[in-house]
């Protein structure tokens, strides 16, 4: 499994890549493997403020639907529209083309509460 060192992670299996005052968010390689084939990504929080750990959407796999939790407080600035026609990108490229939202970073102090790649690996037993 892949856990890029430059990313931060949540206990709920989201990853976050921070670029200045914006961040890209998706689900981890571990999460997409656990879910199986992703068939639909539903995110209806565009232009809305979300709090840390608040649900910003759902991801649907063949046998289950899972909530997506925001790693930080901020505003959802963009939704990855590639996922509308190709939700399987979450499976094939979870840290690249499979990103889900781009959001503003509302409170930089929350970043310190996220997990490092090493801590996340430990959490999932990898």
């Amino acid at each position: 499994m892949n856990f890029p060192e430059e990313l931060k992670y949540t206990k709920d299996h989201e990853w976050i890549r921070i670029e200045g005052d914006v961040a890209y968010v998706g689900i981890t390689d571990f999460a997409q493997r656990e879910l199986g084939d992703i068939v639909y990504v539903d995110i209806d929080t565009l232009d809305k403020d979300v709090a840390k750990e608040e649900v910003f959407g759902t991801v649907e796999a063949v046998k289950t639907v899972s909530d997506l939790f925001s790693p930080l407080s901020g505003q959802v600035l963009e939704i990855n529209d590639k996922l509308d026609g190709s939700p399987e990108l979450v499976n094939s490229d979870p840290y690249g083309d499979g990103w889900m939202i781009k959001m503003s970073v509302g409170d930089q102090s929350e970043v310190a509460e996220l997990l490092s790649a090493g801590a996340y690996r430990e959490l999932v037993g990898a």
Side-chain angles (χ1 to χ4, degrees):
M1 271 183 281
N2 185 16
F3 305 102
E5 292 292 329
E6 70 276 10
L7 303 178
K8 296 289 188 182
Y9 301 86
T10 71
K11 62 180 176 27
D12 296 311
H13 311 292
E14 284 81 24
W15 61 262
I16 182 166
R17 182 177 72 237
I18 298 169
E19 296 178 358
D21 61 351
V22 297
Y24 289 84
V25 178
I27 63 169
T28 65
D29 192 21
F30 174 83
Q32 69 82 18
R33 286 174 191 237
E34 290 291 304
L35 288 168
D37 293 337
I38 307 288
V39 295
Y40 186 64
V41 178
D42 182 25
I43 300 170
D44 62 359
T45 49
L46 184 62
D47 297 327
K48 293 183 180 161
D49 289 325
V50 292
K52 180 180 177 180
E53 299 179 356
E54 183 179 344
V55 174
F56 69 82
T58 58
V59 62
E60 185 176 334
V62 174
K63 296 182 180 178
T64 189
V65 175
S66 227
D67 287 336
L68 299 165
F69 298 96
S70 182
L72 300 173
S73 299
Q75 183 179 39
V76 178
L77 304 172
E78 187 178 335
I79 295 170
N80 184 354
D81 57 9
K82 288 182 186 176
L83 300 181
D84 281 346
S86 301
E88 68 277 3
L89 287 171
V90 175
N91 293 116
S92 62
D93 193 9
Y95 302 116
D97 285 341
W99 65 272
M100 295 180 173
I101 62 169
K102 179 178 169 183
M103 68 183 295
S104 65
V105 178
D107 183 351
Q108 284 284 348
S109 70
E110 292 176 345
V111 175
E113 299 167 22
L114 297 169
L115 302 173
S116 66
Y120 182 72
R121 259 193 306 277
E122 199 173 295
L123 176 77
V124 298

